[in-house]
Amino acid sequence: MKLNIFTKRFTILCCSILAMTAMSCKDDFLDEDLTNQYSTDYFLTPQGLEDLTVSLYGNIRWHFGYEWAYGITLYGTDEFTNANDLTNEMWNTYDNRLGPVGATTETGAANKNATSPAALWDQMYYGISSANIIIANAEIIEDEAVRNRCLAHAYFLRGYNYYRLVAQYGGVVLQLEPAEGVVRNFERATEEESWEQVISDFRNAYEHFEGEIYTYGKGVTWTKATAAHFLAKALLFRASERNDAWNSGYIDSDLNEAIDAASYAIDARGPLTDNYRDLYATWSGIDSETEQLDEILMAAPHNADESTKGRFGNRTYNYFTPQFSNFSGGWVRRGVWIGGMDFQRLRPTEYTYAVFDHVNDSRMWKTFKTVYGVNNVLDENVDVELGDPGIVMILNTKDDDTYDNFKFGANIQQPDWRDVDGRLPEWKLGMRQTETSGSLTSSPGQFVPNSLVLYQNGEYVSPNFKSTPISNFFAGINKTDDGSRFAEKGDAHRDVTMARLAETYLVRAECYARLQQYGNAMNDINTVRARAAWKSGENRSYYVDGSVAFENNSLNTGSAAQNYINSNLNINTYYLSNPDIDVTTEASDLSLTSFPDNLPDEDEAVLNALGVSGTYDRALHFILNERTRELLGEWQRWETLSRTGTLIQRARAFNKEATNITENKHELRPIPQSFIDGLLNEDGSNLSAEMKADWQNPGY
């Protein structure tokens, strides 16, 4: 850790902290551009404080700039495990490389890109330092409306940054005033004290925001609803199982206040976006309608302005996609025309596929990419043309025996998908797909260079289609796909959603469940599930993702344009994965009729695997399942499981690579050793070994 982060001598730690031009905004808060550096004195002027307030939005962009985006938030959980790339393997396996020093190539990391536990710690305190300056000096702003706006933003960012720190590390250093000079003597607050500060900051932000005023553009601007959402989350966190040792005096009041805060956000920003697909999959380019939805409560802003992207920009498009160019043998080449780079970091677990209702839940088929088109014909003697299916992933269920005797993998003649009377069903005719017609193959037995199935003979065989030593062949999710890139490995330009209203419903539902108000909980859950169901008239085999932004990309000419058409077939494997389902455009129904009794089959299977019983535990684990279905890959699974005391249980049950996860240790992250080693006593002497040990979390 840079030990002078709490100083007033910052070079502007927010450095135009990625000036407001980085925002996807309609009406800018500031009329003048920010420059790259300001003197300290400038930030003690009214205009300087306003500029510093704007810069706070830049601090949140860090979360999605590199490998830490997934390492600290998604690895080591029930939802995702590592594929064949081992950059951040230790965050998933919980081996000894996940320690206070941090993994390096010298300590066994696969490469120099491994995430250090110091990464989040350092970055959050930079933002906190900026917020402290605004809060301490806001009184010099004479205009009350401007002063309140600056205070609202500063309290929110400080609360959010401390939320992220406490969620990961437990009790942390609470620095609430601008520090003079280099500070190397700190006290570590308890987790109880730390949550009190987080909640206080969010309460202050909530009080200072003036309702739903979109200063910078919907989805980007923080508003009263944003503060309400995170206030509800912080109160729920304090009332949750990880804090059982000390939180008994808070639980009822926190849950009721959380319900009130969540209700404000729901009433102010509802209803939910009509179609789940429109939240992510229909992203068509910079500042598209997808980024302006009322459901979005907070997003990290990005656009095409290279001067504001920061060190890394938005790299999230790299992490969810399988290594298609490798296992396809070159039939499907990667490029800017496919919205995701095939870095194969995040491989869904069996639980992640199985927790969905494969027939009735549209979220599964609007999220998983299951078909890639051939954009490179390798063998002219094979009956495969450009634009034919090149990779086909069948996401069937454990009880399906359709494909028990078929061969899958690379260069295998595909099974004959004819009806029993020998005719090819009409819905399978045609290579291309529109929103109303089309399908997968043009002839039975068509050769497809690569194919995968989840289950054969009741066994989960998906990981068998792999490169060594770990599978790199899986169905990735599309929530970060970006066809607006200007180079194969160029930066993404889309905003990254950090909070949205569907989660607010699930937070409120969990609060109700904890208060044993199960009817109210079910109502909120059903609101989320109603949007997830198929609507009348929907084509269930239609698929789209952020690759569609390539249509508005200046590179969309010549061969690149053809590669886009050939690669993105706009189809999924819904009917191949559900072979007993006739073609239909009827609405489906996901509504619960009782809760938490008589849950859907897929949930009962998960609860049985976990050995869960009892009314409250059934309710909690169902909500955790629903969070997977609704929020898969949205950067918060680790903290959710740590909060609820279910991390060890669910990781062990569903993540085979999390072999070293340990109770009373891995519920928290290690405090960075670089920070501890730099601490001094008040008299300037070094800490003793015992004092350093007292700073560290248990088990490290």
Side-chain angles (χ1 to χ4, degrees), residues 56-64 68-69 72-73 120-121 123-125 127-128 131 135 151-169 172 174 176 194-195 197-206 209 222 226-227 229-231 233-234 237 297-301 496-500 503 634-636 639:
L56 299 180
Y57 282 88
N59 187 240
I60 64 174
R61 301 177 69 194
W62 171 88
H63 295 284
F64 308 106
W68 49 73
I72 63 178
T73 62
L120 181 73
W121 182 279
Q123 194 66 28
M124 294 302 90
Y125 280 113
I128 288 166
I135 293 168
L151 282 170
H153 281 75
Y155 278 123
F156 177 79
L157 191 277
R158 190 171 74 178
Y160 177 78
N161 282 12
Y162 273 127
Y163 178 96
R164 292 297 306 271
L165 286 168
V166 184
Q168 291 278 327
Y169 302 100
V172 296
L174 295 178
L176 306 177
S194 298
W195 280 119
Q197 184 59 48
V198 172
I199 291 165
S200 174
D201 279 344
F202 284 145
R203 283 173 177 156
N204 276 319
Y206 181 77
F209 276 121
W222 308 333
T226 314
H229 172 87
F230 281 97
L231 174 58
K233 287 189 68 172
F237 207 127
L297 300 174
M298 183 178 181
V496 183
T497 299
M498 302 175 73
R500 56 186 180 85
E503 186 197 3
E634 296 186 29
W635 319 109
Q636 53 184 304
E639 75 175 39

Side-chain angles (χ1 to χ4, degrees), residues 409-427:
N411 301 320
I412 299 295
Q413 191 77 6
Q414 283 301 98
D416 188 336
W417 290 314
R418 288 176 294 186
D419 279 349
V420 291
D421 61 0
R423 293 180 301 168
L424 188 70
E426 182 178 350
W427 63 267

Side-chain angles (χ1 to χ4, degrees), residues 493-568:
H493 303 126
R494 66 183 295 174
D495 295 350
V496 183
T497 299
M498 302 175 73
R500 56 186 180 85
L501 205 60
E503 186 197 3
T504 318
Y505 274 102
L506 295 177
V507 166
R508 190 170 71 174
E510 186 178 335
C511 292
Y512 281 135
R514 289 174 180 272
L515 292 171
Q516 300 182 46
Q517 298 178 28
Y518 295 112
N520 288 335
M522 185 175 72
N523 290 339
D524 279 347
I525 293 166
N526 277 340
T527 297
V528 175
R529 289 172 68 83
R531 195 255 304 274
W534 295 106
K535 307 302 184 293
S536 179
E538 277 196 277
N539 177 4
R540 301 187 185 188
S541 59
Y542 174 71
Y543 172 86
V544 68
D545 61 39
S547 301
V548 73
F550 193 72
E551 293 180 358
N552 301 314
N553 192 321
S554 60
L555 300 177
N556 186 19
T557 61
S559 61
Q562 194 59 48
N563 280 330
Y564 165 68
I565 294 171
N566 292 334
S567 304
N568 300 285

Side-chain angles (χ1 to χ4, degrees), residues 261-281:
S263 296
Y264 170 81
I266 289 168
D267 293 342
R269 297 290 282 271
L272 298 179
T273 299
D274 288 341
N275 193 325
Y276 189 81
R277 178 182 286 124
D278 291 338
L279 291 166
Y280 297 101

Side-chain angles (χ1 to χ4, degrees), residues 180-200:
E180 297 287 347
V182 176
V183 181
R184 296 178 65 178
N185 173 251
F186 299 109
E187 292 184 4
R188 182 182 181 186
T190 65
E191 193 157 4
E192 181 176 5
E193 292 167 338
S194 298
W195 280 119
E196 180 58 37
Q197 184 59 48
V198 172
I199 291 165
S200 174

